[in-house]
Amino acid sequence: MSNLPYLRIGTAVIVNDEGLILIDKRRNKGTMANKWEFPGGKFEDGENAQECIVREIKEELGIDIRVGKHLMNVRHDYPHVSLTLMVYYAHILSGEPKTLECAEIRWVKPEQLSDFDFPDANYQIIEKIQAQKTLNNCYSPNT
Ligand SMILES: Nc1nc2c([nH]c(=O)n2[C@H]2C[C@H](O)[C@@H](COP(=O)(O)OP(=O)(O)OP(=O)(O)O)O2)c(=O)[nH]1
Ligand SMILES: [Mg+2]
């Protein structure tokens, strides 16, 4: 048992038509400073995962996305916070990603994800992405 704060985080693995994945580098101040991540953020009251992800991606990158298939949920306890990352594939509907709330943005191949410094909770997400044979259709919604 612990009394850590518990957060639900909506997280997007945005894939483009070339099969590249968008990652962003967090700012050099605040939680997990300078770590690379999949863009996203905290649920607001009354939101579901898809709504949270669409809103966060608009705020952080200035783009509109369609949320696709659910990849996984990851529960992780950090020393200061306990959280669940709710991870969905997504695809850009309109706009060019901008660094509105992050330090840097990159499009990378799935195999390149291992070269970046991600928070501890992300390693099983990266493993699962890299285990997929193809990312085709991953951004179509679950049916
Ligand atoms: N977005 C995102 N957050 C992650 C990932 N991995 C991981 O451990 N986290 C952690 C870092 C943070 O503690 C938390 C996400 O919160 P956040 O700081 O992005 O929240 P937010 O966008 O709502 O930002 P703010 O309004 O609090 O500034 O989840 C990831 O891949 N993406
Ligand atoms: Mg965020």
Side-chain angles (χ1 to χ4, degrees):
M1 286 299 291
S2 82
N3 295 313
L4 289 176
Y6 174 70
L7 298 175
R8 285 188 304 163
I9 311 292
T11 315
V13 176
I14 302 174
V15 182
N16 71 9
D17 293 338
E18 284 84 57
L20 301 177
I21 294 170
L22 188 153
I23 59 173
D24 73 89
K25 191 178 189 183
R26 293 175 67 89
R27 289 174 164 162
N28 63 4
K29 294 206 175 69
T31 347
M32 316 263 179
N34 297 315
K35 294 274 186 186
W36 288 86
E37 65 171 12
F38 302 110
K42 303 177 190 79
F43 276 55
E44 288 183 355
D45 286 348
E47 277 182 335
N48 64 28
Q50 284 90 346
E51 289 163 343
C52 166
I53 290 169
V54 167
R55 176 186 51 73
E56 283 286 347
I57 297 314
K58 184 78 175 177
E59 290 173 7
E60 295 187 351
L61 301 169
I63 54 175
D64 293 304
I65 57 163
R66 178 175 62 185
V67 177
K69 292 196 168 43
H70 180 236
L71 178 63
M72 69 199 300
N73 291 344
V74 179
R75 172 75 198 255
H76 192 84
D77 295 325
Y78 291 108
H80 58 289
V81 66
S82 208
L83 49 76
T84 298
L85 299 174
M86 299 183 178
V87 192
Y88 285 76
Y89 285 112
H91 194 58
I92 298 183
L93 291 175
S94 66
E96 273 295 314
K98 293 177 276 296
T99 53
L100 301 178
E101 295 190 0
C102 60
E104 209 181 319
I105 294 168
R106 291 213 199 159
W107 287 101
V108 301
K109 295 180 184 162
E111 60 266 31
Q112 292 176 300
L113 291 169
S114 320
D115 301 338
F116 293 84
D117 184 24
F118 281 87
D120 290 344
N122 285 60
Y123 287 93
Q124 43 184 313
I125 305 172
I126 291 171
E127 237 173 66
K128 190 154 181 194
I129 294 170
Q130 290 176 336
Q132 319 264 322
K133 278 205 261 326
T134 167
L135 297 180
N136 288 347
N137 291 324
C138 63
Y139 39 74
S140 312
N142 291 55
T143 43

